Amino acid sequence: MALKEWAPTCAAIAAGEQTILLRKGGIKEPTFKPAAREFLLFPTSFHTDAQLLKPDAAQRYAAECAFDPKAHPTLRFGTWAALTGAWTTADPAVLRLLDELHVWGPDFLEQRLRWRKTQPITVLELRAVRLPQPLELASRADFWGCFSWLDLAAAPEGSTAEQQQQLAEAAAATAAAAAAATPALGDAAFAERQALCRRQLAQLADLQELPLP
């Protein structure tokens, strides 16, 4: 399983600089729901403006801002994430409260808030692992569209039994590699961020914790 997210955000998570996501459902989804406890990050290009990042992050992730996955015949998935917490809130204060846990600028956060105003914001807390050998897959038409989750192990229509088996084996090997890899943040550093995240979220009166998949 893979979760689509803006490429600079994926890079910041892989670097241990960011540990949360703020999500709403895509056009093809009535609401956003966590679909897996562990998953790959799928870097996308739905924003191209580096001004949507904090100034220092805009410099560090300039290449990721320009990344267009559709221009690549082969896609590389190098970040595995474990979901360690999930909550919903409709309070816009969440943007300010979690400022230390992400690299986004105010404009990016306001865009997320304006999208589908009647939907609550889903907060995801992630612990990332950088894969020693990224998963490489040929680009496919079913990768593209306004939806959040994609089952990379699901073979496209018309695939042979051998192709289906190869995808399944690649998915299993990736999960095994992630289990043995070193997280982007060590235990102590990640525990500090977890504690900060929960202290800040506790200030939201309407906060609802979601069960993890």
Side-chain angles (χ1 to χ4, degrees):
M1 191 68 75
L3 176 62
K4 292 182 174 181
E5 184 53 73
W6 191 28
T9 301
C10 293
I13 291 172
E17 190 173 358
Q18 176 157 332
T19 54
I20 59 105
L21 292 176
L22 302 180
R23 298 296 300 247
K24 290 188 177 183
I27 291 173
K28 297 182 179 180
E29 301 160 331
T31 59
F32 179 86
K33 293 181 179 180
R37 182 75 67 96
E38 295 181 314
F39 46 87
L40 289 162
L41 294 182
F42 187 142
T44 61
S45 60
F46 53 84
H47 296 297
T48 58
D49 187 355
Q51 297 302 314
L52 297 176
L53 297 173
K54 295 174 182 175
D56 55 341
Q59 295 181 2
R60 287 194 299 280
Y61 301 117
E64 286 79 8
C65 285
F67 176 70
D68 180 5
K70 292 183 180 180
H72 297 266
T74 300
L75 300 177
R76 292 166 57 89
F77 302 88
T79 305
W80 182 270
L83 181 63
T84 57
W87 304 265
T88 61
T89 179
D91 192 334
V94 68
L95 312 178
R96 169 182 54 82
L97 290 171
L98 299 181
D99 183 70
E100 294 182 54
L101 301 175
H102 62 75
V103 298
W104 303 315
D107 290 346
F108 179 86
L109 297 173
E110 288 173 8
Q111 285 190 16
R112 281 278 160 104
L113 192 63
R114 288 197 303 266
W115 170 252
R116 293 188 167 181
K117 292 183 179 181
T118 60
Q119 275 193 24
I121 300 166
T122 299
V123 182
L124 302 180
E125 180 187 63
L126 307 180
R127 188 173 192 186
V129 169
R130 293 187 295 270
L131 296 175
Q133 181 64 44
L135 173 66
E136 295 189 355
L137 294 176
S139 179
R140 306 189 327 232
D142 62 311
F143 284 178
W144 317 119
C146 194
F147 49 86
S148 301
W149 296 96
L150 181 65
D151 187 355
L152 296 177
E157 186 176 351
S159 297
T160 65
E162 181 180 2
Q163 290 171 326
Q164 294 172 5
Q165 180 65 23
Q166 288 174 345
L167 278 175
E169 290 175 355
T174 299
T182 302
L185 286 174
D187 291 346
F190 186 71
E192 285 184 16
R193 291 198 167 219
Q194 282 189 296
L196 174 60
C197 180
R198 285 155 178 74
R199 283 198 307 271
Q200 297 298 84
L201 289 176
Q203 300 179 50
L204 301 172
D206 71 336
L207 188 73
Q208 297 289 324
E209 187 168 6
L210 299 176
L212 300 183

